[in-house]
């Protein structure tokens, strides 16, 4: 994943998480889990857009602003993944792999 653009890395992370979540019928989940899954999906889209905006920023100031927002969202995503793992939606290996992808995105937004 390291040779890919940040946007491609964000899309791959989105795809990986969405693939895991696709095993769950959202309409049959308890309300807390339903809200968590919905929030995760929104966070993934926002992160992908942040990565795209970071790469296409015309000035360094814009790039730094998108990096700040992206890093904040990536931190929130990591917390959401950990919360979902408490409901056994993600296994320990999934959490570790996703966390590594998140850290890679964060380090790319320097």
């Amino acid at each position: 994943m390291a040779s890919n653009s940040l946007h491609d890395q964000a899309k791959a992370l989105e795809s990986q998480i969405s693939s895991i979540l696709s095993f769950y019928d959202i309409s049959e989940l308890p309300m807390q889990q339903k809200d968590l899954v919905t929030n995760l999906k929104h966070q993934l889209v926002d992160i992908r857009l942040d990565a795209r905006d970071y790469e296409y920023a015309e000035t360094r100031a814009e790039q730094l602003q998108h990096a700040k927002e992206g890093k904040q969202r990536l931190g929130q995503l990591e917390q959401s993944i950990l919360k979902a793992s408490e409901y056994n939606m993600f296994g320990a290996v999934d959490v570790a792999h996703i966390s590594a992808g998140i850290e890679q995105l964060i380090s790319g937004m320097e």
Side-chain angles (χ1 to χ4, degrees):
M1 214 179 346
S3 64
N4 293 340
S5 70
L6 286 176
H7 185 248
D8 289 342
Q9 291 177 39
K11 285 190 334 187
L13 184 65
E14 180 180 19
S15 176
Q16 176 189 8
I17 294 171
S18 294
S19 173
I20 294 168
L21 293 176
S22 71
F23 291 105
Y24 299 95
D25 182 359
I26 295 175
S27 64
E28 293 186 12
L29 291 175
M31 186 56 76
Q32 274 187 318
Q33 292 175 23
K34 187 183 302 188
D35 291 343
L36 183 59
V37 169
T38 302
N39 189 37
L40 272 168
K41 290 181 178 189
H42 288 212
Q43 288 173 329
L44 290 167
V45 170
D46 289 342
I47 288 166
R48 180 173 37 84
L49 295 174
D50 285 336
R52 182 204 61 195
D53 292 344
Y54 175 85
E55 289 180 332
Y56 292 128
E58 293 184 13
T59 66
R60 182 66 178 150
E62 287 177 11
Q63 196 175 42
L64 291 173
Q65 180 61 35
H66 292 300
K68 179 182 175 185
E69 292 168 6
K71 289 177 182 180
Q72 184 178 23
R73 281 192 240 276
L74 285 162
Q76 292 169 350
L77 175 67
E78 193 161 28
Q79 292 301 312
S80 296
I81 295 294
L82 292 173
K83 184 68 174 171
S85 73
E86 293 175 11
Y87 296 114
N88 295 320
M89 298 176 98
F90 296 95
V93 173
D94 295 325
V95 172
H97 190 39
I98 292 167
S99 293
I102 289 171
E103 290 305 316
Q104 192 171 12
L105 279 167
I106 288 172
S107 68
M109 291 184 178
E110 297 297 318

